[in-house]
Amino acid sequence: MPHGIFSFLKTTLGAALLTAGLTAANAADLRVLTHSSFTVPKPLLAQFEKDNGVKLRITKGGDAGEMLNKLILTKANPIADVVYGIDNAFAPKALAAGVLDTSTAAAAGRKPAAELPAPLVPVDYGYVTLNYDKAWFAKNGVAVPKTLDDLTQPAYAKLLVVQNPATSSPGYAFLLSTIGAMGEDKAFDFWAKLRANGLKVAKGWTEAYYTEFSQNGGKHPIVVSYATSPAAEVFYSKTKLSEPPTASLSLPGAVFRQVEGVALVKGGKQRAAAEKFVEFMRSPAVQTAMQTDMWMYPAEAGVAKADAFRFAPEPTAFNAPSDADIAAKGSDWVARWTKVVLK
Amino acid sequence: MAFETPRLKQPRPWAWHRWALAAVPLLFLAVVLVAPAVRLMLEGGSADLWAPWQDSYLRGRLLWSLAQAAMTCGLVLLIGLPMGWVLARLDFPGRGLLLRGLMMPFVVPTLVAAMGVLALMGPRGLLAQWGGPDLQGTPWLLLFGNLFFNLCVLVRAAVDALSQVSAARVAAARSLGATPWRAFWRVEWPAIAPWLASALCLVFLYCFSGFGLALVLGGQAYATAEVEIYTLVAHELQLGQASVLSVWMLLLTGAVALGYAAVERRLATPARADGVSRRPARGVAQWSAVMVTVSVWMLVCAAPLIAIAHGAMFSGADAWGVLREDDTLLALYNTVQFSLLALVLATVLGVAHALAARRVLWLRTLVFLPFIVSPAMVAFGLLLLYPEASGSFGVLVAAYALLAYPFVAKSVASRLDSLPAHYMEAARSLGASPWRCFWRVTLPLLAPALRRGMAFAAATAVGEFAVSLFLSRPEWATLTTLIYQHLGKPGAVNLGAAQVLACVLMGLALLAFVLIEWPDKEGDARA
């Protein structure tokens, strides 16, 4: 009975949209689902359309986790043909849900600078890690912390802001790095101590960085962000800077290497064009432009790194639980984190 | 007050044309709101209805949602009623401007408002600089944000109500020796109380089911139940839990909305001809009252906006360069296009709903459905129900209209209530057809209320926050999404560009507001 109503409504709305000529879903469109940070220069996208005789229909689905949920929810009738922006933290969930399809593009076979479980084809990578406000530490005469445990000491009380792993992909990545480094139980002990020491939790990266981080008017001089953020601070500075006002702080156990990939969507259409899009994301032009657009390192091995990245040293070590553990326990960890830190 | 206006003949509530009118908004609500939400709930499967009250975390969220809404109601009444009295009783230069200035918060996108609030009360805010406390991480931030958005609701209601108080009765009380205070408590207060109650219900609803502000200002510690629903749906895909929680929200808000509709129907008395007139302010006491009113307005409504404008002004040439970018022009065009289309749709829906819902309590209550039902539930439900239309132009416009049309419906409905019936009756008895009577008599009388509702609807559409929950497409990026995009990257220029765009957005919304509402021939805060 309810489904009868729904099909009636579907027809009503579908008909209304069609008669109004407003449905943009054209049979020749290649539907690309991305997270909201996706930025590729328009001329490159136009060139892709011209070269392959398709029209790109790019849809932004929110934060990486939110986007994946939308994909899983619409599994029966996918809203995209190809998806970009699922990273190694969310890959196990995507694989378990069976929403991805294998790509046969040449890029899938070329050795990338950072790996991802198939069928995801790596596009770029970066490091989620702590950033600190250099001016704050200089002004207050506090030494920069040397280990994660330092952050549980009174000298560092109320200095750290992290994102909620339930609502933010960098927040989730940071949680995974602590679990990867310390093991589950020790990691949650550590989080409990952080809470006792006045840990601040923000909903997402924007809130953490723009309202809580002392560099932007907040009161927390240490924030979970990316290793490339200091470089972006120079790139987007108001006045020409010779060095960044912030620096990344790659403490052991506080670095997660995030590898983002592209994959075909199971049940999607336009297979040929979708394969072309996978290849396109690994083309030198996109790999070069993307670096200072999305602030990630290129996955294509031969592509030169952007000049701006001289302010963004790559961390030498990083931690993560195994893919199998992430798949099996990822959501339990988030629930446990919520209990330990928020409730 | 029943003796004031004997009603000659009530129209039959369910004549066929009423059904036809009601069908328009009802079908719309069913297709873009109820069906998607229900579809999502079915997807989630069954969950224990009492679970949110048994889990201490969720119970805390629900109770905090109730508490912050109740506290806001107290605050707006305490601050708004004296302001309303000053604005209703005293005349002073700039009074009209101040009345309109009160509406400014409505035209600000939530994240921008939150940034303004933080610029005032955050660690480096003005308050802290002047030796005051830093309110970040406290519940006061959300309460101030609520106050910022809702003060105008109560002040406008108070002004409207006070100008309907019978001048003769106040004069009689005074000439019988009552002090102004006594006259207020014994004559004015009983007359305006229902109006205030109605405004407070509305404030409660906005705060209780408000989403954007709580998301940004509440932080994790002071997140409301609505924020929890969003997290459960969008990030954790716990649809069962989210459904149960939203059923409770629906029950609680539904009760308040029903109360609101009932109170408002009791207000259904035609406007009085002998309202108390305003006197020019004179004397130290009256001028101080005016000064205090202006200062409170500055502090609560203007200061956060000035803080943003200030930030934009000093953000440097690179940030201002954003105005020359193609993306900005596209976003500006899209914002205008979406808002106009949504406004047309919202006006049709709103007027139809208001006309159909006259004297029909449950229909009146349904106007609040778009405020009450969690935007996350609707967004994900739409995706599930109409995947082929996801991210399509039509769905986006419908979503904008959905969130904007209650403003039109509410405004028109309350004006309909106070419409003197004898105008229409005269027209009908002179032989006008019902349609002609509506077109020539009712509609012109409704015009000011319609304009005001449309102004609110337009301002809402221009700065819409919740639509960012829906799928967005780069070619349909609006100013709001562009602001989010800049805030998604580190660097001073990005922050500056976001502030500059926020100013453009404020300007645009204000323009929409002024264009629609300014040529108010009654020149007053009626309707």
Side-chain angles (χ1 to χ4, degrees), chain B residues 158-442:
Chain B
V159 170
D160 288 354
L162 281 163
S163 57
Q164 317 244 347
V165 172
S166 161
R169 297 178 73 179
V170 176
R174 291 299 307 277
S175 67
L176 288 170
T179 61
W181 267 113
R182 204 173 154 74
F184 176 78
W185 280 118
R186 301 303 292 270
V187 181
E188 293 180 86
W189 173 257
I192 64 172
W195 262 272
L196 298 181
S198 125
L200 286 177
C201 284
L202 205 57
V203 171
F204 189 91
L205 275 183
Y206 286 151
C207 296
F208 187 62
S209 58
F211 168 70
L213 204 63
L215 187 69
V216 185
L217 285 181
Q220 294 296 321
Y222 297 101
T224 58
E226 202 67 32
V227 174
E228 188 62 31
I229 293 175
Y230 162 69
T231 307
L232 286 171
V233 172
H235 293 284
E236 296 177 20
L237 219 54
Q238 301 273 3
L239 302 178
Q241 269 195 50
S243 304
V244 174
L245 200 55
S246 62
V247 164
W248 278 105
M249 290 298 283
L250 206 62
L251 289 175
L252 292 168
T253 43
V256 178
L258 204 65
Y260 172 81
V263 170
E264 194 164 66
R265 204 169 54 157
R266 271 191 48 208
L267 297 179
T269 44
R272 285 163 190 281
D274 76 326
V276 181
S277 55
R278 289 192 305 274
R279 300 257 168 85
R282 64 167 73 96
V284 179
Q286 291 192 351
W287 274 108
S288 334
V290 170
M291 284 304 144
V292 170
T293 300
V294 174
S295 318
V296 171
W297 172 74
M298 281 295 295
L299 207 70
V300 175
C301 300
L305 306 184
I306 292 170
I308 299 158
H310 178 268
M313 220 167 335
F314 294 98
S315 61
D318 280 353
W320 281 90
V322 73
L323 293 182
R324 287 193 303 271
E325 284 170 16
D326 289 347
D327 283 352
T328 310
L329 285 178
L330 176 71
L332 193 66
Y333 171 75
N334 282 336
T335 303
V336 172
Q337 184 191 17
F338 275 119
S339 303
L340 280 177
L341 285 170
L343 186 61
V344 171
L345 190 54
T347 306
V348 172
L349 290 165
V351 171
H353 200 142
L355 288 173
R358 264 191 109 173
R359 288 183 268 279
V360 186
L361 192 60
W362 65 270
L363 251 185
R364 261 177 185 257
T365 313
L366 280 187
V367 170
F368 293 100
L369 221 49
F371 291 155
I372 296 171
V373 177
S374 158
M377 301 280 292
V378 177
F380 278 74
L382 280 170
L383 204 58
L384 202 55
L385 193 53
Y386 318 113
E388 63 283 353
S390 69
S392 77
F393 191 79
V395 166
L396 281 177
V397 171
Y400 275 94
L402 180 72
L403 293 154
Y405 106 86
F407 290 103
V408 178
K410 254 172 13 70
S411 182
V412 172
S414 61
R415 178 64 180 155
L416 274 174
D417 289 340
S418 63
L419 225 49
H422 55 261
Y423 288 176
M424 276 80 84
E425 278 150 15
R428 290 299 305 278
S429 65
L430 289 170
S433 68
W435 174 244
R436 199 176 156 76
C437 166
F438 173 77
W439 193 247
R440 299 298 295 271
V441 182
T442 316

Side-chain angles (χ1 to χ4, degrees), chain B residues 67-91:
Chain B
Q68 54 95 27
M71 283 191 263
T72 307
C73 283
L75 277 174
V76 294
L77 184 64
L78 216 63
I79 300 172
L81 183 56
M83 283 177 84
W85 195 88
V86 168
L87 284 163
R89 293 288 180 259
L90 302 179
D91 232 342

Side-chain angles (χ1 to χ4, degrees), chain A residues 2-3 5-6 8-10 12-14 17 22-25 29 31 33 36-39 42 55-61 63 65-67 69-74 77-79 93 133 164 166-168 200-207 209-220 225 228-229 232-233 235-238 240 292-295 334 338 342-343, chain B residues 27 30-32 34-36 38-40 42-43 55-58 61 111 115 118 122-125 134-137 215-216 219-221 230-231 233-239 314-318 326-327 330 380-395 468-476 484-495:
Chain A
H3 287 280
I5 293 173
F6 289 131
F8 163 73
L9 290 171
K10 254 180 174 167
T12 319
L13 184 84
L17 291 175
L22 295 175
T23 27
D29 286 356
R31 301 170 303 162
L33 182 66
S36 40
S37 313
F38 174 83
T39 339
K42 274 188 211 153
K55 178 114 188 49
L56 281 173
R57 187 178 170 214
I58 292 162
T59 314
K60 294 187 177 183
D63 176 86
E66 204 176 336
M67 171 193 77
N69 282 343
K70 286 176 177 167
L71 201 59
I72 293 174
L73 204 59
T74 55
N77 199 349
I79 52 171
K93 185 175 176 184
D133 174 2
N164 186 343
T167 52
S168 149
K200 175 77 190 181
V201 180
K203 180 219 151 211
W205 181 89
T206 301
E207 291 78 7
Y209 204 81
Y210 277 120
T211 66
E212 306 289 350
F213 189 32
S214 60
Q215 151 84 4
N216 293 309
K219 59 180 165 188
H220 302 85
S225 190
T228 55
S229 302
E233 284 285 353
F235 193 83
Y236 292 116
S237 66
K238 228 189 290 187
K240 283 284 155 274
T292 50
D293 268 334
M294 294 197 260
W295 295 94
V334 172
T338 308
L342 290 182
K343 287 188 181 176
Chain B
L27 197 69
V31 170
V32 302
V34 179
V38 171
R39 178 70 188 79
L40 194 71
L42 291 179
E43 185 78 10
D55 181 289
S56 67
Y57 178 74
L58 292 180
R61 293 288 176 232
L111 188 63
M115 288 166 72
L118 281 168
R124 280 196 215 160
D134 154 23
L135 296 176
Q136 194 173 12
L215 187 69
V216 185
Q220 294 296 321
Y230 162 69
T231 307
V233 172
H235 293 284
E236 296 177 20
L237 219 54
Q238 301 273 3
L239 302 178
F314 294 98
S315 61
D318 280 353
D326 289 347
D327 283 352
L330 176 71
F380 278 74
L382 280 170
L383 204 58
L384 202 55
L385 193 53
Y386 318 113
E388 63 283 353
S390 69
S392 77
F393 191 79
V395 166
S468 64
L469 283 176
F470 294 79
L471 294 173
S472 74
R473 310 249 316 259
E475 63 268 41
W476 293 333
Y484 280 103
Q485 230 164 52
H486 281 286
L487 287 178
K489 285 180 188 173
V493 170
N494 279 315
L495 180 61

